[in-house]
Amino acid sequence: MKLPTNFMGYDGKKELEKIENEKEPENNLEKKVNFPIISFSGDLSFVTDETFYKEIINYLDKTFPAHQNVLSSNLKFESNVMKGSNTYIATAVDMYLKSINSEYRLATQLDLEQNLKFTADIYNDSGLALRNLKKANKDQAIYLFNQLRKKGLTEKDFPLWFNLRGLNLDNNLNFNLTDESFYKKVESLNWKNGTSFSKIDAFGLPKEEDKTSSRQIWTSDNALSRCYLNRNWGLDSYNSSLSYSGDDGRVVLAKPKFKKISGGSN
Amino acid sequence: MKEHKGVYQNSTELMDLGGKPFYMNDFVDACLYGRLNLFLQGDTGSGKTQLAKDAMDYFQEKSMFILGRNDMDTRELFQQINLEKLRNGVSSQELKELTDKINYKLFVVDELPNSVPAVRAQLFNLFDGFIEINGKTYPIGDGYSVGIATGNIGQKFTESNNDLGRALKDRMHVTIDTDHFKPNSWDTFNILSTNTNPRVDFTKKSENGSLEKKVLEIHNKIVSEEIPFEKLVVANYLIHGLDYVNLDGKETTKTKLKDAWPNAITNHGMGSDESLVLSVSARAAKSILRLSQAFDYIAKDKGLTDDQVKENYFNSMMNAYKFVGAYSGVLNDLAVREIYGNDKYSAMDAVISTTKTQFDENAPKISAGLEMVNEGKKSKKVLDRFSGRWNFMKEFLERASEENKK
């Protein structure tokens, strides 16, 4: 049986070599429960300590007992790293880090942009895009927007970007603003699906169109979309499936470089 | 079709392929090229009959128009298609000779839901190229026949116990809600300024002559072409990948859950396709592939190069999936109502978004897997990359590498 040599533009030979030459991460973990994170690359890291992974699972199951399917069941510890990520997992892990006063927090889009190589071939949830109150995920969008309405925002302020870091989930997995929440009107979230960009703004989001760049932003008209840095370093902000988690997903942690940004900002 | 300018006007885009917009008449062409039965669902007066009439112009005397009425019986239907002799007791041989003479290529049934079930069943048979008499089936024509039906059955589509809805899902390959893609104001200004006759004019014949030969040539080209492997992977994802469910850590399929789907998927995140959509049947997958091939042909006709068409295989398949799937009964109607404002196309867009993510993430692994098979290897490292809804790909690659070793 002769099959094609590439698939959707990927060269089979190169991809096969990449997998075959991949080395298992060395198991040289620090075993400190509250400072468990290793594999530094700049300020970014994955969850690479199994004890810490188990603590996360324990926190998720105890805090959100009705949502194991969305949260803990989507995570696994394999090849010395925690695999899996979705919007809820990333937010809940950040809640946990905050609760234990860890020096790490969930990486923001800006954090991820500082070291793109660190996240090669994986995807990392970092934000939410609120575009309207009518289409996919409208219930979650309305819940979130009602909190902003009280702060004086209107639908004219759409599209809005939210960092997952600093959001809180309630028992129904609704997103709640905290004093650490960061949100901002970001025009690029309404760019044409697939627009290329290279420059980013002060928050790590696409700044201007650059047709020569291979990086693209993917958009949609969902009410609320998950946002993540995809495996090709594009910014996916089109996906309405907030809970899908794949083996390629990684929760990325970062040591915040500067003081927390509090409150909303346009 | 470039060679034929129909009366129907609608410049509302239904989809885009490589920057080429597709309109309602392109969809009719795609269904004719792919020999896929098309149901035009929509409100009265929305132009569906005119659209179907334009398609009849392609085949001229080899097309037949039937108006669905609840007082029409099969005898009258047979009279319409010159099979009235059937009632006089003829031999099987004579019957075959009679049915062979029926050489209609296109059957257009206006207001199909008005027909009684027995007539409806025979109409569907005609669409599919045969007629059933006394439990025996007799082919009609010479291999190509297709049907376009119109009607407005609205909510009945969503009632699983509704005979009509079920029959339409079983026998019509593509359904388009024409109300969703109404002509825009530019079109209606044009339509109303040139013609105020509210009737569809069946007396006016096309000046272009029959385009039957061209349609059949395109059809033969489409069905004889090899299906690109990328499309086969997409089709298999829709059959197997979308069937996968993880219930509290236990892997199963929606097929096995039967009526327990989607209720068995509790506490699953809002927006997940696990509780939103069922997998497609192998039959629906064939329709999706066929429609996608027809889309590609039309896109090329509109100016795309072979390479551009190739780059858009995934998009072409997703668009075909959207229009075959939306009214095929795969969507969770409750979720569509509550989350997507009862808009099936929006729900399909959400499933397509997730599917795109899945393919973005897994395409490199798939290409590695294909190379593995071509090199005659069987690498655990590669195969282990496929899990969950991608188990089907692991199975395929394992089997393919074993076949290559033989």
Side-chain angles (χ1 to χ4, degrees), chain A residues 7-18:
Chain A
F7 186 81
M8 292 178 87
Y10 288 93
D11 183 322
K13 233 177 191 43
K14 277 187 192 164
E15 296 302 328
L16 181 61
E17 270 175 27
K18 221 188 265 180

Side-chain angles (χ1 to χ4, degrees), chain B residues 201-215:
Chain B
D201 188 355
F202 280 90
T203 57
K204 196 177 163 192
K205 295 286 176 208
S206 166
E207 292 156 9
N208 304 297
S210 173
L211 293 164
E212 175 200 349
K213 199 174 160 213
K214 179 154 191 211
V215 173

Side-chain angles (χ1 to χ4, degrees), chain A residues 8-240:
Chain A
M8 292 178 87
Y10 288 93
D11 183 322
K13 233 177 191 43
K14 277 187 192 164
E15 296 302 328
L16 181 61
E17 270 175 27
K18 221 188 265 180
I19 292 176
E20 285 181 333
N21 296 332
E22 206 172 68
K23 284 183 184 154
E24 294 283 314
E26 285 176 30
N27 190 4
N28 59 349
L29 311 178
E30 277 186 70
K31 296 290 180 189
K32 291 181 193 169
V33 172
N34 280 338
F35 300 96
I37 306 136
I38 59 125
S39 293
F40 286 96
S41 178
D43 287 328
L44 302 182
S45 63
F46 300 129
V47 175
T48 51
D49 183 317
E50 193 163 7
T51 311
F52 186 53
Y53 158 76
K54 284 177 183 167
E55 283 181 9
I56 290 174
I57 296 293
N58 189 36
Y59 171 81
L60 297 179
D61 287 347
K62 278 193 172 164
T63 316
F64 306 101
H67 300 286
Q68 289 183 359
N69 254 359
V70 178
L71 297 164
S72 58
S73 296
N74 279 319
L75 291 172
K76 62 180 171 188
F77 197 78
E78 197 177 72
S79 306
N80 297 318
V81 70
M82 183 172 87
K83 290 185 177 176
S85 174
N86 63 32
T87 314
Y88 301 113
I89 288 171
T91 310
V93 168
D94 185 63
M95 287 168 65
Y96 176 56
L97 293 168
K98 187 181 174 188
S99 73
I100 61 169
N101 286 322
S102 169
E103 60 182 320
Y104 289 90
R105 295 295 295 271
L106 178 74
T108 63
Q109 187 61 29
L110 182 64
D111 293 328
L112 295 172
E113 291 282 342
Q114 305 309 308
N115 190 355
L116 288 175
K117 280 185 185 167
F118 186 76
T119 60
D121 291 333
I122 50 175
Y123 73 91
N124 323 103
D125 287 281
S126 61
L128 280 170
L130 177 62
R131 294 190 175 91
N132 60 65
L133 303 176
K134 290 177 185 160
K135 301 265 179 141
N137 294 330
K138 65 176 182 179
D139 292 343
Q140 295 101 311
I142 291 168
Y143 184 93
L144 186 55
F145 184 62
N146 281 342
Q147 300 166 63
L148 296 172
R149 223 191 281 269
K150 289 176 189 160
K151 294 176 187 285
L153 270 76
T154 68
E155 290 178 50
K156 283 182 185 166
D157 296 309
F158 291 162
L160 288 169
W161 164 276
F162 294 80
N163 279 347
L164 294 183
R165 181 199 291 176
L167 288 176
N168 257 14
L169 292 169
D170 61 22
N171 290 340
N172 295 319
L173 297 188
N174 287 312
F175 295 100
N176 292 275
L177 298 175
T178 69
D179 61 352
E180 286 188 324
S181 298
F182 173 80
Y183 50 89
K184 176 183 185 280
K185 180 168 183 163
V186 176
E187 295 297 347
S188 60
L189 294 174
N190 272 357
W191 284 358
K192 198 176 171 207
N193 193 24
T195 302
S196 299
F197 72 96
S198 55
K199 290 184 180 160
I200 52 165
D201 64 14
F203 305 96
L205 303 167
K207 194 175 179 184
E208 59 193 53
E209 191 174 346
D210 176 1
K211 286 182 181 163
T212 62
S213 172
S214 60
R215 298 190 69 192
Q216 288 166 291
I217 179 170
W218 301 96
T219 58
S220 69
D221 64 351
N222 298 324
L224 192 68
S225 302
R226 73 191 282 186
C227 300
Y228 51 92
L229 184 66
N230 70 22
R231 57 182 308 126
N232 305 317
W233 300 320
L235 180 62
D236 283 7
S237 70
Y238 69 91
N239 197 331
S240 64

Side-chain angles (χ1 to χ4, degrees), chain B residues 321-338:
Chain B
Y321 170 52
K322 179 173 175 176
F323 289 96
V324 170
Y327 284 85
S328 69
V330 293
L331 287 166
N332 171 357
D333 289 326
L334 187 65
V336 172
R337 210 159 40 237
E338 290 185 351

